[in-house]
Structure formats: structure tokens, C-alpha cells
Amino acid sequence: MSGKGVALYPASLDPIHYGHIDVAIRASKFFDELIVAIYANPNNKRVLFDIDERVNYAKEIFQNYPTISVAKYNILTVQYAKLVGAIALIRGLRVFGDFEFEFRMGMANKKLAPELETIAILSDEQYMHISSSTIREIAELGGDVSSMVPPVISEALRSKFGV
């Protein structure tokens, strides 16, 4: 099933995990192109992987999906969406708390860019427990995250934390 136009899936992907990948692949079926847009400085917090690392990992992961592209940005998400001609913003929902946050963000984005739709995709139940912050914490303490992230990310985490 293919829709019309371009959708933007904005995220920090620090690190990218199977939940992100699942949402992107599922969302890509409804649009001519899905841009996985990686925000360079999410909420002004310290990131584990720099923007170029995150972009390169995502490009490697999505290389076999011709309708998915990867880009980086460092402006307001709705401004970037307009810049690339997106008609929709894709958001993943795992738990109820995500809904409240995404609802508020979606309403703010609608005020800023009424022409953009926010589309929420529910996480597959096998990925509901996964979050980037949880993965970073487990990896930093030497835990096995191989069931949550692709092998390239698992190796990158081991390298970052020296475990």
C-alpha cells in the first residue's frame, strides 16, 4: 500500500533500536518516501553517539529499504518538515505516557504547521519495553542488549563503554 507524498519520522536515535526500525518500516508502507530525520541535539542533552555516527548507523540499517532515506537536521522539526516537503510526521507510541507527550507535541506542531498531520504508530508488543535510555544504561553496565538493537549497534555500544 502506497500513499502520496513524503513523511518525516523525527527522532534522536541515540541509539537506534528495533522499536524505531519497526515503526519506520511500517510507516514507510503508507508514503512514497519516509525520511528518518535525526535531530542533532535532542533537548540539548549529552548524546552517546554524535550526529554523524547516528546517521551512518541508520543509513546502514535502512540500506535495503528504497523508500526510506536518512537525514540529519538541527532546526525546529516542523520547519525541517516544510523544507523537505513532508505532509506528515510519524511518531511511535509504546506506553500511555508516550501518548500524553506526543499529544501535546502534536497539538503544538499543528499550531505551527496546520498543513502537517501527526500520525502515531503503536509499537509492536515485542518492542514496547525498549527505549534508547534503557539500552544505554544496560550497555554501560555491561548487560546484553543484542535482543534490542541490531548487531552493528550492539558492537558500537560495547566499543563506547569498553565492555
Side-chain angles (χ1 to χ4, degrees):
M1 176 180 211
S2 180
K4 292 185 176 190
V6 175
L8 191 70
Y9 179 27
S12 60
L13 304 184
D14 188 41
I16 189 170
H17 55 67
Y18 286 133
H20 294 130
I21 297 165
D22 176 62
V23 167
I25 292 168
R26 289 168 49 215
S28 73
K29 296 174 185 174
F30 299 101
F31 296 92
D32 297 321
E33 179 183 5
L34 177 75
I35 301 170
V36 175
I38 304 172
Y39 190 55
N41 192 16
N43 300 324
N44 296 314
K45 59 184 171 184
R46 188 179 71 80
V47 292
L48 182 62
F49 294 102
D50 69 36
I51 184 62
D52 292 325
E53 289 173 309
R54 290 180 280 146
V55 165
N56 289 335
Y57 290 136
K59 283 182 176 180
E60 181 177 340
I61 288 163
F62 293 117
Q63 67 184 336
N64 295 321
Y65 296 89
T67 62
I68 299 176
S69 61
V70 178
K72 62 183 172 182
Y73 74 106
N74 198 19
I75 58 176
L76 196 60
T77 298
V78 294
Q79 290 173 328
Y80 185 70
K82 288 178 184 181
L83 188 68
V84 299
I87 61 171
L89 299 174
I90 304 299
R91 303 303 297 160
L93 296 178
R94 294 171 300 138
V95 295
F96 189 73
D98 287 350
F99 175 80
E100 183 180 356
F101 174 81
E102 295 300 345
F103 182 82
R104 284 193 321 261
M105 186 63 64
M107 295 306 292
N109 287 338
K110 197 68 166 167
K111 281 286 193 196
L112 296 170
E115 69 281 6
L116 279 175
E117 293 298 332
T118 298
I119 299 173
I121 296 189
L122 301 177
S123 285
D124 189 286
E125 67 181 325
Q126 67 181 322
Y127 306 122
M128 292 180 93
H129 69 286
I130 301 175
S131 73
S132 294
S133 57
T134 300
I135 290 167
R136 287 191 308 268
E137 184 176 347
I138 293 168
E140 185 174 18
L141 297 171
D144 179 14
V145 295
S146 62
S147 66
M148 300 177 227
V149 297
V152 66
I153 302 301
S154 187
E155 180 57 39
L157 288 164
R158 280 193 297 277
S159 178
K160 281 279 186 192
F161 293 121
V163 293

